[in-house]
Amino acid sequence: MRNENDVQHLLAYKHNPRYLSGVSFDLNYVKPSTDIGAVVAAADWVILAVPAAFVQQALADLGQSAFSGKVIVSAIKGMIPKENILITDYMARKFEVPNTHQLVIAGPCHAEEVALEKQSYLTIGSHDLATAERFCQLLRNRYVKANALDDLDGVEYCAVMKNIIALACGIARGLNYGDNFQAVLVSNAMFEIERFLDAIMPQHRALSGSAYLGDLLVTAYSQFSRNRTFGNMIGHGYTVKSAQIEMNMVAEGYYAVQSIYELNKSLKADMPITNAVYHILYERISPKVEFEILKEKFK
C-alpha cells in the first residue's frame, strides 16, 4: 500500500479505509506494507493491480532483476499510456520477464461481488497452460471458479477494449438512450473487438466465451463498473476533469481509448465506437453530436 497511514489503519481495524471498507482482513494471512521491494522479494507470485497509468511509477524503485524467477499476474485492464503497450509487454521489456512467467486475469468478475462472496468466474490467460492452471488452483474456492486459457494477448487486449465499450455504454445512458440501443451498441462492439484483434493479433478465438463477451457484458451493464459510471457522467455533461474528481477512482477506459486509437492509426480497423469515445474525451466533441453520428453506423 502506498500510504503508511492506510497500513496502520488496516493493522488496527482489519479493513482498508479507502476501498471495499466493509471487508475484514485476516491479519494472519494479509501482511500490509509500503515497502514494495520487500513485498516482491518475498513473493513467488506477484499480482499487479494498480491502474495502468501508474504502473511505471509504482515499480520505479525496483531493479531490472526484481521479478527474476517469479510469476507475474496482471489484473490490470489497461495499457501503458503514450507507449501504447500492454502490461505484459512492458514487464517483458522493462524487467525481462519471459512470456512463460506472465499471466493475465480476466472476468467476468467485479471485486465488489467477490467481497460479497457472490459466485464469480475468472479466466487466466497464459502462454503456458501448466503455469496458469497452478495459479487457478490458488484462486479457487466455494464461490470463485477459475479456468486457464492459452490466449494471453487476446484476453489482455479484450480486457482493454471492454472498458472503452463500457464508457460508451455509460455515455449512452447519460444521454438517455435506452436498453434497446445499449443492446445494439454491445453487439456491434463485439464485431469491433473482433476486427481489432484480427488486425493486431490474428488467431482463432471463440469471442462468445466468458473471458471475452462475458467480461464485456459485466463491465457494460454492472452498477459496479467504474468505466460505465465515468461514461454516464460524461453523457450527463460533466467535463473529464470534474468526473475524475467526483469519482476519486481511475476509469481505465479513459487512458485506454487513447492507446487503442493511436494503435489503430496504422492498423486501420473499422472502430466507430472507439473513435466516438476518443472524439468525446480528447477532442471535446459533444457526446450528443457524436452519438447521433454513431447510431447511424449500427445495424
Side-chain angles (χ1 to χ4, degrees):
M1 303 175 76
R2 290 174 296 171
N3 189 307
E4 181 61 35
N5 290 333
D6 290 349
V7 170
Q8 295 307 316
H9 185 101
L10 198 153
L11 290 171
Y13 303 107
K14 300 183 181 181
H15 68 85
N16 187 337
R18 297 181 185 272
Y19 304 109
L20 298 178
S21 56
V23 176
S24 179
F25 289 93
D26 186 340
L27 297 180
N28 291 314
Y29 297 97
V30 177
K31 311 291 185 184
S33 172
T34 58
D35 186 343
I36 190 170
V39 169
V40 170
D44 297 317
W45 306 82
V46 179
I47 301 175
L48 303 177
V50 298
F54 306 114
V55 168
Q56 292 162 297
Q57 177 185 338
L59 304 182
D61 293 335
L62 298 177
Q64 191 175 46
S65 62
F67 297 101
S68 178
K70 303 177 187 301
V71 178
I72 311 305
V73 186
S74 175
I76 301 168
K77 310 301 191 292
M79 303 179 73
I80 301 295
K82 297 183 180 178
E83 294 191 37
N84 303 330
I85 59 174
L86 296 170
I87 303 303
T88 52
D89 292 334
Y90 174 75
M91 295 302 293
R93 185 180 301 180
K94 176 71 175 177
F95 297 102
E96 299 182 350
V97 181
N99 281 340
T100 54
H101 282 218
Q102 295 210 66
L103 308 173
V104 294
I105 299 178
C109 189
H110 280 301
E112 291 84 352
E113 289 202 352
V114 175
L116 293 168
E117 299 190 3
K118 300 283 189 180
Q119 186 65 54
S120 299
Y121 294 78
L122 294 169
T123 302
I124 308 304
S126 173
H127 290 302
D128 184 336
L129 283 178
T131 300
E133 179 56 32
R134 284 166 55 212
F135 188 64
C136 286
Q137 291 172 8
L138 297 175
L139 297 177
R140 292 178 182 129
N141 61 31
R142 62 181 175 80
Y143 57 90
V144 174
K145 293 185 179 295
N147 296 290
L149 183 66
D150 60 346
D151 182 21
L152 183 145
D153 301 304
V155 168
E156 195 168 8
Y157 271 119
C158 196
V160 173
M161 284 294 301
K162 55 103 176 182
N163 283 332
I164 298 170
I165 305 308
L167 258 170
C169 289
I171 294 171
R173 187 61 67 180
L175 291 171
N176 206 31
Y177 284 87
D179 293 341
N180 295 341
F181 178 80
Q182 180 158 330
V184 174
L185 172 60
V186 171
S187 60
N188 276 266
M190 285 307 300
F191 289 116
E192 182 162 323
I193 291 171
E194 183 175 15
R195 289 192 294 269
F196 176 76
L197 289 177
D198 284 346
I200 199 166
M201 199 68 63
Q203 174 182 322
H204 174 71
R205 298 176 175 92
L207 291 182
S208 58
S210 294
Y212 311 105
L213 176 60
D215 209 3
L216 170 62
L217 290 175
V218 76
T219 310
Y221 285 91
S222 174
Q223 61 178 317
F224 297 125
S225 171
R226 291 189 292 274
N227 291 281
R228 177 185 164 90
T229 299
F230 183 77
N232 190 295
M233 295 169 78
I234 298 298
H236 273 110
Y238 281 71
T239 65
V240 167
K241 191 67 175 178
S242 61
Q244 289 173 328
I245 291 171
E246 184 160 323
M247 279 185 64
N248 195 32
M249 296 181 79
V250 174
E252 289 276 24
Y254 171 72
Y255 300 99
V257 72
Q258 185 176 39
S259 292
I260 297 297
Y261 183 85
E262 292 294 329
L263 282 173
N264 196 47
K265 284 181 177 179
S266 59
L267 298 171
K268 301 187 184 308
D270 182 22
M271 301 181 72
I273 302 171
T274 298
N275 292 341
V277 173
Y278 178 84
H279 294 158
I280 291 167
L281 297 184
Y282 287 90
E283 297 182 349
R284 300 185 179 181
I285 295 181
S286 161
K288 184 176 181 180
V289 170
E290 198 64 40
F291 268 67
E292 283 294 322
I293 298 169
L294 182 63
K295 73 180 186 182
E296 296 302 320
K297 297 180 179 180
F298 291 163
K299 297 178 180 179

